[in-house]
Amino acid sequence: MTNNKRPLILISNDDGVNAKGIRELVGFLRPLADLVVMAPDAPRSGFACSITCHEPVSYKLVRQEPGLTVYQCSGTPTDCVKLAFYSVLEREPDLVVGGINHGDNSSVNVHYSGTMGVVIEGCLRGFPSIGFSLCDHELDADFTPLKDYVQRITQKVLDEGLPPLTCLNVNFPKASAFQGIKVCQQAKGLWEKEWIPRQEAEHVYDMAGEFRDTDPEEERNDHWALRHGYVAITPVTVDATDYEMIRRMKTWF
Amino acid sequence: MTNNKRPLILISNDDGVNAKGIRELVGFLRPLADLVVMAPDAPRSGFACSITCHEPVSYKLVRQEPGLTVYQCSGTPTDCVKLAFYSVLEREPDLVVGGINHGDNSSVNVHYSGTMGVVIEGCLRGFPSIGFSLCDHELDADFTPLKDYVQRITQKVLDEGLPPLTCLNVNFPKASAFQGIKVCQQAKGLWEKEWIPRQEAEHVYDMAGEFRDTDPEEERNDHWALRHGYVAITPVTVDATDYEMIRRMKTWF
């Protein structure tokens, strides 16, 4: 039975429905809202906003109890959100949440992240959307220190909403306690040493990489905040237009 | 033999190395520059900025002649760019180009497009980058009317460069001639009716969709420009930060 007085949150991720991060997130958010989870049936890290154009996508119910329904889906994180809206949500959610990701989605990783794919999709559909990520890739990462912050940030967005086209990318440093919250800019920089050649075969590579901050001392950046023990909230716009460049191009053609 | 006096352009796409669109692009750009192509070995539409984190990625040489080298790659469009930089480019390119895509990448499609995945990756690495797309999904789409525009826009960017973090998303209407160029904003709107249930199985869906413009009469939008026969150039920023929201959030925590 759905209680229409309680908020409804749609949850997905890119680490898969069985990842510790999404299970912890469900535990943190159950006191705040009814939850519907539609998450990939296997890990799909680095899937960005990808969609499945040329193959069928399916889902199935894996758990149902008062205030919580869980589905797993064969598609990408973005497919999960699209299919949840199309097929399983009985009313519009108050919020779409991605995570909690096992690993850092700050800085340029916003472009590669399947967790942020969930969030961008929620935002493009017109719903307040938040991504939560912990800078710890381990399967058994400790999410406990995040609980109060996840609840506080989620409640704030449930109360205040978010402007159209704006979503939040929230990253937590790996730590047992945090210095507080910083609202940040996306750090500038780039991945280097991105591939490791396989020894046994020519022209075969595994992805790796080291991130180089091009402006590491800039205190407004999410990387700086994370390195200094803060929870970094980077507001993200899904309007990719470069308005300044429109002005510059007036004389081009 | 590489002639270091000529510009060098790295090309990729998401329709695959054998698609007509990339072959036509190579023909259009050969008079302007030396070309290195690293493109997916099969169609990978809708792959966005996805990367291959958990499997090996490989490439192989498929064609080499003066001024043109072509590789095919097992990875995503973004992997192609990353691997080209790591493994095959002998010098830094002057430009990274994605396309010519078979299909519309204007408006919110910038988030789902593998062609724009190529462009965003080039831009994140600090190189001027352009995506070209034709609003025609057909395998044998006619790219001939695009030739002069593709050459003119490419030459302009080779001459002028682009600011850091800015790239171009160029879309052509399906037409035998164009009204001219409009520099545009990303149209606002959303996909609806996104799934078609399979008859033979429960909870199995194929992706479809109809796009609904939420502001169809807005002449600054790329959708408006395309509907009215113009070549739409939407400048795109890879800095996803919502700076206005940073200001609004000052009192939040």
Side-chain angles (χ1 to χ4, degrees):
Chain A
M1 301 291 282
T2 306
N3 176 348
N4 282 308
K5 300 271 169 56
R6 276 169 66 81
L8 178 66
I9 301 177
L10 173 64
I11 293 175
S12 191
N13 75 346
D14 71 356
D15 293 314
V17 70
N18 294 315
K20 184 176 179 184
I22 197 169
R23 288 186 283 117
E24 293 281 75
L25 179 64
V26 164
F28 298 166
L29 297 187
R30 283 195 78 167
L32 280 60
D34 287 350
L35 309 178
V36 172
V37 177
M38 171 80 86
D41 55 16
R44 297 199 173 87
S45 292
F47 269 54
C49 296
S50 61
I51 53 175
T52 304
C53 300
H54 299 303
E55 290 173 34
V57 174
S58 63
Y59 73 90
K60 69 175 185 186
L61 178 68
V62 292
R63 184 173 168 194
Q64 186 156 37
E65 57 192 70
L68 173 65
T69 313
V70 180
Y71 302 89
Q72 67 178 41
C73 171
S74 67
T76 68
T78 300
D79 292 337
C80 288
V81 177
K82 288 180 180 288
L83 199 51
F85 272 90
Y86 184 87
S87 61
V88 306
L89 288 175
E90 292 175 7
R91 56 184 168 117
E92 292 198 334
D94 298 281
L95 190 64
V96 176
V97 176
I100 302 172
N101 190 62
H102 295 241
D104 182 356
N105 280 325
S106 68
S107 183
V108 301
N109 300 321
V110 67
H111 291 289
Y112 306 120
S113 163
T115 299
M116 288 307 295
V118 167
V119 176
I120 289 168
E121 183 63 24
C123 185
L124 286 171
R125 304 184 85 92
F127 296 90
S129 301
I130 315 172
F132 292 110
S133 303
L134 171 61
C135 296
D136 184 348
H137 278 96
E138 295 300 322
L139 292 177
D140 67 345
D142 181 11
F143 293 90
T144 319
L146 284 60
K147 181 179 178 182
D148 289 350
Y149 284 90
V150 167
Q151 291 182 333
R152 187 170 156 212
I153 294 165
T154 301
Q155 190 61 55
K156 187 75 179 172
V157 173
L158 284 171
D159 293 344
E160 304 268 342
L162 290 171
L165 308 179
T166 301
C167 52
L168 301 183
N169 180 13
V170 182
N171 287 271
F172 294 86
K174 183 178 173 178
S176 56
F178 307 115
Q179 298 297 317
I181 290 173
K182 277 211 184 278
V183 180
C184 301
Q185 301 177 9
Q186 176 186 319
K188 310 304 179 288
L190 70 168
W191 284 97
E192 297 177 326
K193 302 177 185 171
E194 294 183 297
W195 299 98
I196 300 171
R198 291 227 165 170
Q199 297 296 324
E200 74 280 10
E202 199 179 23
H203 304 327
V204 181
Y205 300 83
D206 289 293
M207 190 166 278
E210 292 174 14
F211 190 83
R212 178 161 62 84
D213 269 306
T214 46
D215 199 3
E217 298 311 315
E218 173 52 64
E219 297 188 15
R220 290 171 296 189
N221 286 352
D222 47 15
H223 267 202
W224 187 96
L226 291 165
R227 271 204 318 281
H228 290 80
Y230 291 92
V231 179
I233 304 185
T234 311
V236 165
T237 174
V238 297
D239 179 1
T241 309
D242 188 327
Y243 289 93
E244 171 58 26
M245 189 63 188
I246 291 178
R247 284 185 286 276
R248 285 202 204 188
M249 287 177 76
K250 281 203 189 306
T251 59
W252 268 36
F253 298 106
Chain B
M1 302 286 283
T2 306
N3 176 349
N4 282 309
K5 299 271 170 53
R6 275 169 66 80
L8 177 66
I9 300 178
L10 173 65
I11 293 174
S12 191
N13 74 345
D14 71 357
D15 293 312
V17 69
N18 294 315
K20 184 176 178 184
I22 197 169
R23 287 186 283 118
E24 293 280 76
L25 179 64
V26 165
F28 298 166
L29 297 187
R30 285 195 77 169
L32 279 61
D34 287 349
L35 308 179
V36 172
V37 176
M38 172 80 86
D41 55 16
R44 296 200 174 87
S45 292
F47 270 54
C49 296
S50 61
I51 53 176
T52 304
C53 300
H54 298 304
E55 291 173 35
V57 174
S58 63
Y59 73 90
K60 70 176 184 183
L61 178 68
V62 292
R63 183 173 168 195
Q64 186 156 37
E65 56 194 71
L68 174 64
T69 313
V70 180
Y71 302 89
Q72 66 179 43
C73 171
S74 67
T76 68
T78 300
D79 291 338
C80 288
V81 176
K82 289 181 179 290
L83 199 51
F85 272 89
Y86 185 87
S87 62
V88 305
L89 288 174
E90 293 175 5
R91 56 184 168 115
E92 291 197 335
D94 297 281
L95 190 63
V96 176
V97 176
I100 300 171
N101 190 62
H102 294 241
D104 182 355
N105 280 325
S106 67
S107 184
V108 301
N109 300 321
V110 67
H111 291 288
Y112 306 119
S113 164
T115 299
M116 288 307 296
V118 167
V119 176
I120 289 167
E121 183 64 24
C123 186
L124 286 171
R125 306 184 84 91
F127 296 90
S129 300
I130 315 171
F132 292 110
S133 303
L134 171 61
C135 297
D136 184 348
H137 279 97
E138 295 300 321
L139 292 177
D140 67 344
D142 180 13
F143 293 90
T144 319
L146 284 61
K147 180 178 177 181
D148 289 351
Y149 284 90
V150 168
Q151 291 182 333
R152 189 172 155 211
I153 294 164
T154 302
Q155 189 61 54
K156 187 74 179 173
V157 174
L158 284 171
D159 293 344
E160 304 268 341
L162 290 171
L165 308 180
T166 300
C167 52
L168 301 183
N169 181 14
V170 182
N171 287 271
F172 294 86
K174 183 178 174 179
S176 55
F178 307 114
Q179 299 296 318
I181 291 173
K182 278 211 184 276
V183 180
C184 301
Q185 300 178 7
Q186 177 186 319
K188 310 304 179 287
L190 70 165
W191 285 96
E192 297 177 328
K193 303 177 186 171
E194 295 184 298
W195 300 98
I196 300 172
R198 291 226 168 172
Q199 297 298 323
E200 76 278 12
E202 199 180 24
H203 304 331
V204 182
Y205 300 84
D206 289 294
M207 189 166 279
E210 292 173 14
F211 191 83
R212 178 163 60 85
D213 269 306
T214 46
D215 200 3
E217 298 312 313
E218 174 54 66
E219 297 189 14
R220 289 171 296 189
N221 287 352
D222 47 15
H223 267 201
W224 187 97
L226 290 166
R227 271 205 315 283
H228 290 79
Y230 292 92
V231 179
I233 304 185
T234 310
V236 165
T237 174
V238 298
D239 180 1
T241 310
D242 188 327
Y243 289 93
E244 171 58 25
M245 190 64 190
I246 291 178
R247 283 185 287 275
R248 288 201 202 188
M249 287 178 73
K250 282 204 189 305
T251 58
W252 268 36
F253 299 105

